[in-house]
Amino acid sequence: DTGVSQDPRHKITKRGQNVTFRCDPISEHNRLYWYRQTLGQGPEFLTYFQNEAQLEKSRLLSDRFSAERPKGSFSTLEIQRTEQGDSAMYLCASSLASHLDQPQHFGDGTRLSIL
Amino acid sequence: GQQLNQSPQSMFIQEGEDVSMNCTSSSIFNTWLWYKQDPGEGPVLLIALYKAGELTSNGRLTAQFGITRKDSFLNISASIPSDVGIYFCAGQIWSGTYKYIFGTGTRLKVLA
């Protein structure tokens, strides 16, 4: 059973560095979501793709954040010039758009720690 | 970011007891989902609800989509130690695109 896969699982970096995370959704899923989760909170929506089109971005997604899904399959989330406040778990989820909206399935996330 | 009101925030219960938690909002939702998250892992889908008033079970878990479409509850019957974890509700809203808003979570601890 190939679920949503995220890489890396953990990333530790110094403040000011750039980081990139990858998400491979469930193969037939055309919707892909990125969330951020901090300790003690639920996931917060960052951005959403349907196929390769980025359809919505949260105000949480500052100019330092960019997400792509170039071929409508895997996606990358890049954070430039990381700051202490970027430390969080970054979760990816995917779903299948159909006449009955299908629920999202999550990966195990990338935990980012900024030193 | 926007989050749903979820209660209780945490609960300690004895093994074998039933558990109830709920999620409320001032907004109307089209879909309610319930997830469980273990430490260091992503949320795992437990139950999906698509219609107001819908009552759905998954083993010892039962969830209902409130009639007003502004709330949902999750019940766990006869809890066992592996039920420990954080439970999240998520409501889907239409804002030009499909987006889910998550609750703040209920942390469940089961005492054997």
Side-chain angles (χ1 to χ4, degrees):
Chain A
D1 177 24
T2 52
V4 178
S5 176
Q6 291 189 246
D7 182 68
R9 290 294 312 276
H10 299 94
K11 179 71 177 178
I12 301 173
T13 192
K14 291 182 179 177
R15 190 166 48 120
Q17 298 294 305
N18 299 343
V19 294
T20 300
F21 311 139
R22 177 181 169 120
C23 171
D24 287 90
I26 294 171
S27 60
E28 65 270 22
H29 284 185
N30 50 4
R31 287 187 183 152
L32 187 147
Y33 301 78
W34 284 99
Y35 290 86
R36 182 173 69 186
Q37 186 178 28
T38 53
L39 203 61
Q41 299 295 314
E44 293 178 292
F45 172 81
L46 291 179
T47 190
Y48 153 61
F49 291 85
Q50 179 143 331
N51 300 312
E52 61 274 5
Q54 188 173 18
L55 297 185
E56 186 167 351
K57 291 197 294 186
S58 162
R59 279 173 288 180
L60 292 175
L61 214 64
S62 77
D63 291 344
R64 297 183 297 106
F65 287 69
S66 62
E68 293 182 346
R69 195 183 183 197
K71 297 179 182 177
S73 56
F74 74 90
S75 175
T76 57
L77 177 68
E78 181 184 15
I79 309 174
Q80 296 183 326
R81 305 180 303 282
T82 52
E83 300 174 356
Q84 292 276 343
D86 296 333
S87 295
M89 173 83 90
Y90 290 85
L91 291 163
C92 176
S94 69
S95 68
L96 178 65
S98 65
H99 68 286
L100 275 180
D101 190 53
Q102 299 298 308
Q104 300 172 50
H105 295 268
F106 282 85
D108 281 336
T110 294
R111 180 167 295 285
L112 175 64
S113 298
I114 306 298
L115 302 177
Chain B
Q2 185 183 357
Q3 298 224 301
L4 297 173
N5 298 317
Q6 194 170 339
S7 67
Q9 277 192 324
S10 64
M11 52 197 316
F12 288 80
I13 59 166
Q14 293 285 339
E15 183 177 358
E17 286 184 351
D18 296 343
V19 174
S20 186
M21 60 192 78
N22 68 75
C23 215
T24 60
S25 171
S26 56
S27 303
I28 290 175
F29 290 98
N30 301 319
T31 300
W32 283 97
L33 305 177
W34 284 93
Y35 289 89
K36 178 175 181 274
Q37 187 174 27
D38 293 328
E41 298 182 9
V44 173
L45 182 69
L46 299 174
I47 292 180
L49 302 161
Y50 298 104
K51 271 173 46 176
E54 180 181 351
L55 185 72
T56 297
S57 293
N58 178 8
R60 294 178 296 105
L61 277 60
T62 302
Q64 185 158 28
F65 193 142
I67 290 289
T68 63
R69 295 169 59 195
K70 294 181 179 181
D71 61 348
S72 178
F73 72 74
L74 174 72
N75 286 343
I76 305 173
S77 63
S79 56
I80 59 178
S82 63
D83 289 335
V84 69
I86 305 177
Y87 291 79
F88 290 103
C89 62
Q92 186 201 56
I93 58 173
W94 172 254
S95 57
T97 59
Y98 288 104
K99 188 167 75 174
Y100 283 93
I101 308 297
F102 278 77
T104 48
T106 293
R107 185 181 298 273
L108 179 63
K109 298 189 179 179
V110 180
L111 306 172

